[in-house]
Amino acid sequence: MNRKKALITGASRGIGKEIALILAENGFDLYLTAYQNEDLLKQLKAEITAKFGVSAKLFICDAADASAVHEMFADIPYLDVLINNAGRAYLGLLTDMSVFDWQKIINTNLNSLFYYCKEAVPGMITRKAGKIINISSIWGECGASMEVAYSAAKAGVGGFTKALAKELAPSNIQVNAIAPGLIDTSMNAGLTKAEWDDICEKIPAGRAGTAYETAQMVMHILNAPDYLTGQIIRMDGGLL
């Protein structure tokens, strides 16, 4: 069976893991990447192959390392779908942030999109088909105090998505982004209960979103008409 091929960055846990599971359930063969969590990635592969019978190839790759991404693609013949999900958070005052930490946040959350798209897009252009979904954040639109670097990177994701969508539309390649609000994942584990409750009180839906809900939106976009491109789709419980 000639199944569609999808690559998901940051797939070992959270949103990336749920995207991997829902794509496997829908018959995609997968390429799954993570930077450090090799054991979690192996557990995910075992679950996917046992439940859904699709293939899953694993790569330990730093999304912020252009050379590592380039080398990885030597083992990837082509992609139908690219999900740029890898992300890194930093909570703290700008004045306390080092140049190294700033660059790490920008590299992981924004530059990685360039590295992966540069490798994946030529094959999509040749085949005149492909879908790219970038996982952004509402903080890219409204900014978050104590998360200046993260907000700046995610704002860049929005511009990247809209510009690349225009560039690739003539080749029948769709580029969209999802901008979640507060999602119940380990990335937000640094929030205290009081901080968590305070944010939830401001969300009209009255709760955080789930990683599974974000994965559901990925599937909705993949199943949407090809005329949907260049969009930043917010999933924030009505917050913005």
Side-chain angles (χ1 to χ4, degrees):
M1 181 184 295
N2 188 21
R3 297 189 182 94
K4 288 189 174 182
K5 315 293 185 184
L7 186 152
I8 305 161
T9 70
S12 63
R13 57 184 180 174
I15 291 173
K17 177 181 178 179
E18 292 298 330
I19 294 172
L21 288 168
I22 203 167
L23 262 62
E25 184 179 3
N26 282 270
F28 283 80
D29 284 333
L30 301 177
Y31 300 102
L32 306 176
T33 82
Y35 180 32
Q36 294 176 318
N37 298 313
E38 185 173 7
D39 289 342
L40 292 179
L41 212 55
K42 288 179 178 178
Q43 291 172 23
L44 177 58
K45 176 179 179 177
E47 181 178 357
I48 283 172
T49 54
K51 283 185 178 179
F52 307 115
V54 300
S55 71
K57 188 167 185 176
L58 310 183
F59 297 94
I60 300 303
C61 178
D62 182 359
D65 185 336
S67 296
V69 173
H70 178 71
E71 291 176 9
M72 184 187 73
F73 267 84
D75 293 323
I76 300 175
Y78 70 91
L79 290 176
D80 297 289
V81 173
L82 170 62
I83 311 292
N84 286 306
N85 168 72
R88 183 188 297 269
Y90 178 97
L91 188 64
L93 294 170
L94 176 71
T95 49
D96 293 335
M97 191 175 198
S98 69
V99 171
F100 175 79
D101 283 334
W102 172 273
Q103 292 174 338
K104 187 162 58 174
I105 294 297
I106 299 298
N107 277 338
T108 302
N109 293 290
L110 179 57
N111 292 351
S112 63
L113 273 64
F114 167 65
Y115 304 150
Y116 275 89
C117 287
K118 183 174 175 61
E119 300 295 336
V121 163
M124 291 181 175
I125 291 175
T126 298
R127 301 175 77 235
K128 297 294 183 184
K131 293 183 183 290
I132 299 169
I133 300 177
N134 302 317
I135 306 301
S136 185
S137 168
I138 60 166
W139 302 140
E141 297 192 39
C142 65
S145 176
M146 306 283 285
E147 294 191 71
V148 174
Y150 184 81
S151 299
K154 292 302 187 180
V157 169
F160 182 100
T161 298
K162 292 177 182 179
L164 188 60
K166 291 180 177 179
E167 190 171 314
L168 297 181
S171 298
N172 190 38
I173 300 165
Q174 295 77 48
V175 187
N176 293 287
I178 300 171
L182 181 66
I183 302 295
D184 190 1
T185 67
S186 59
M187 183 176 283
N188 293 310
L191 295 172
T192 66
K193 185 179 185 304
E195 291 169 335
W196 183 271
D197 291 343
D198 181 60
I199 296 173
C200 287
E201 285 177 7
K202 296 173 182 175
I203 299 172
R207 64 173 178 86
T210 68
Y212 178 67
E213 288 174 313
T214 309
Q216 286 180 301
M217 181 54 68
V218 167
M219 279 308 308
H220 286 315
I221 295 173
L222 293 180
N223 290 324
D226 289 348
Y227 207 57
L228 180 75
T229 193
Q231 302 306 303
I232 315 297
I233 300 170
R234 292 202 306 262
M235 285 190 58
D236 57 16
L239 182 61
L240 292 186

